[in-house]
Amino acid sequence: MINVISSRRFTITILLLLTLSSVACKTKTPGQEKFGLDADYFIALKMLKEGNEKSAISKLNRCVKKGSYYISRRSAETLCTLGNIQDKNKAALNLYQQFPDKDALLITVKQLQSSSEFTRVIDLTQNLNFNDDKDELIKIRLECLKAQHASSYEKEVFDWFTRCPISTFHYQFYRDTYEHPDFDAIYTQEITGGGENPANISFTPEQFAINYRIELYKRNYTYTYAKAKQIINYFSDGNLAPKGQLASDIGKTYLFGSMDFVKNAIYFNNLAEEFINSEMAFYFYFYAGRLFEKGGLYYTQSKKAFENAIVNTNKADQKDNALWYLINTSLNNSLENLLNDIGSYCRQFNDPDYFDDIFDLMISSLLASGNWNAFEKLYKEADGFASDEVVAQLAYIYARLVEEGLAQGDENSKNQAFRRALNADSSYYYKIMASYKLGLSKEEFIQVLERPYKEKETYPSSENTEIDHSKDAQILLEGYAFFGFPEKIYPEYLAVYKKGLPEETYFYLAEFLQKVGEGSSQSDYYTQALRIASRGQTRSLRPVTMDELKLVFPKDYSDLIEKYAEQYNLNPNIIYALIRSESFFDAGVESTAGAVGLSQLMEFTAADIAKKLKLKEYSLTDAEDSIMIGSFYLAELIRRCDNNELLGFFSYNAGITKVRRWLKSTLISFGKKSSMPLDLFLETVPYSETRGYGRKLVSATVMYEFLYGNDDYANIVKDLMKD
């Protein structure tokens, strides 16, 4: 009996232990609770960091088979980097089999090429489109064709080099792979008196054309101008089929390689007629127009050439390009004639945003000439055809000119124009200014700020035939955050966001990266957070909350900014606005003009300020140094501008001497003796960059003030504009 009881107890104990063990095995970690099987991808990444490749491969293979779209795909891609050459090749082929698109193909052929599997690469890439596919992918195919001595090699090289603009991949291929004749030796002997091709080097028209394109890419205009007619002769005698890219190259050559503008323009008109039924006609007419324009006083001929270019192409981007130059030529010739024609021009726009800078120039010219009444016509002609940014600008300026008694219009037309500026899908500046002028309440102003607005690159619609993987992208990106891979978020975000993300994902990622930035020495995370939040704002299909807007207008580097704002008697929100507008909170950024750091200071300006601050050593890429020097400089400029913050902003961008000169000139244009409405002065500033800069700084200052405690937005605008 005792033995039986003991046996039962033993059996029960074993069963209990097995049950408890089973329960323990079924207990999920928070990551597994949230992401399910997809969590294995992130766990595998951690294993790889720890050197546990075997276990990681097992989890990745599981995710390839059962994971969500992006988890499966990234798992398959990661497997292409693990194991021996045979393992990597097998994984690469499996990747392309499961995800047969060009991104996967590029990964696959890179791996196969690295293991000298040239025939497989050639087979996989036989249906590439040289017009549209990635140059890197085409370059790999051509390298493999050469390695296999394929008969189609020369033809495909020529097709690639003449179907699209020359890229760095073309140049690398030409320099490192393509065996071409020594054209440098031929040309050197020619210009030193050796005669035409003294070395008697044999080359084909195709080889000559490829070399020609490379020399133009290198901006060797002396060479390309000397050789342009040889290319044209190849076209005329049928040795080369007409190629639009080569015609464009010849046009650039004559534009930048010679001063005989009018003579060359006539020549190009004749060429266009000779090749009227080919794709080259557009380019020859287009460059005839540009050459006539550079010749001066040939407005009629230039206008006609651009009009001929427009009717000789079916491509929307080419039409817009020619139309842009046509409008610009008209603007330089006669503003009055342009105003008469602007309606018909607007109706031809394919991409309205392409013409924003032209309208900006027109607006400046109209204001400088005192042609106030033209704004009503321009605003109404542009509405519905120009971009909403331009329409908002025109509507606001027209309403303000009416308000100032400078343009004709009644109270109703003025308020309608302010309303149009308010409701346009534009950036914040004109929304803020129109809200102020219309006297919107705080609650109404919040609704304006929260209102979602579209951007040029539209959010994928339900009519999109491509499979919607937005939820899968959300899993991938939020998983990187949850499992602690902040460095992977932004590159991955750039790869997937265009296909759509849920609104909450943008702001979730932005908040996460901002917090990472606070505990990191890398300012990149601040900038990445801001870029993602800004994109989330423009892509949102629902109202954006005030908390989400704080991610769009963050207070990064708050300790340093508050410190130097107090030290130099500045409103800290002005410094936040300055840094957000100048550098997007990227401490290491350098502009093309050479401005460096958070406050985007030129070295000579920083050196001058450093002397005043008695700084023996400083670095513009150091956050504290940049904030200190930039804050001091801005405070000094505002003080020298009679404590006018907007004029201080302009001076920070363009220099105080220019700003004073512009203000004096504008007072004369507007018939003012001493004071000038600052919002109208902004529109008259001669530099487009400075005008845009002023709008950004005003908008950002108002947003920082309003979001962080000062809810009287109207008073903020009033103070900024000295209204």
Side-chain angles (χ1 to χ4, degrees), residues 66 292 399 693:
K66 298 184 178 181
F292 274 127
Y693 184 82

Side-chain angles (χ1 to χ4, degrees), residues 343-397:
S344 64
Y345 291 150
C346 286
R347 286 160 179 77
Q348 298 179 59
F349 293 170
N350 291 289
D351 178 3
D353 299 278
Y354 191 81
F355 299 89
D356 281 7
D357 57 342
I358 283 285
F359 279 103
D360 209 31
L361 288 170
M362 288 179 65
I363 289 166
S364 296
S365 298
L366 289 170
L367 290 173
S369 63
N371 195 349
W372 325 125
N373 286 318
F375 276 91
E376 182 178 15
K377 172 183 171 61
L378 186 58
Y379 142 55
K380 291 181 177 178
E381 292 280 12
D383 198 1
F385 300 99
S387 72
D388 260 26
E389 192 71 40
V390 162
V391 173
Q393 182 182 10
L394 289 169
Y396 179 80
I397 294 172

Side-chain angles (χ1 to χ4, degrees), residues 425-445:
D425 288 318
S426 66
S427 55
Y428 276 128
Y429 176 76
Y430 293 108
K431 291 180 180 293
I432 290 170
M433 297 304 297
S435 296
Y436 169 63
K437 288 296 178 181
L438 288 166
L440 299 191
S441 66
K442 169 191 167 184
E443 290 70 27
E444 290 172 319
F445 184 61

Side-chain angles (χ1 to χ4, degrees), residues 532-552:
I532 292 174
S534 298
R535 182 71 66 176
Q537 177 202 15
T538 61
R539 288 201 158 211
S540 177
L541 299 178
R542 57 157 174 80
V544 180
T545 69
M546 291 293 105
D547 284 339
E548 288 168 343
L549 282 175
K550 285 182 179 180
L551 293 169
V552 181

Side-chain angles (χ1 to χ4, degrees), residues 393-463:
Q393 182 182 10
L394 289 169
Y396 179 80
I397 294 172
Y398 166 65
R400 285 289 290 118
L401 291 171
V402 171
E403 189 173 53
E404 291 288 324
L406 297 168
Q408 296 174 356
D410 56 23
E411 188 74 9
N412 184 53
S413 59
K414 179 195 76 172
N415 287 334
Q416 281 184 344
F418 277 139
R419 283 282 171 191
R420 183 64 184 92
L422 179 72
N423 293 322
D425 288 318
S426 66
S427 55
Y428 276 128
Y429 176 76
Y430 293 108
K431 291 180 180 293
I432 290 170
M433 297 304 297
S435 296
Y436 169 63
K437 288 296 178 181
L438 288 166
L440 299 191
S441 66
K442 169 191 167 184
E443 290 70 27
E444 290 172 319
F445 184 61
I446 289 175
Q447 290 178 359
V448 170
L449 299 184
E450 290 180 335
R451 185 187 309 150
Y453 62 92
K454 63 187 177 185
E455 59 176 351
K456 181 181 174 183
E457 187 177 48
T458 57
Y459 197 95
S461 70
S462 58
E463 298 176 2

Side-chain angles (χ1 to χ4, degrees), residues 243-256:
K243 295 281 186 179
Q245 289 293 330
L246 284 168
S248 176
D249 286 354
I250 293 166
K252 291 172 186 172
T253 289
Y254 276 77
L255 193 65
F256 301 115

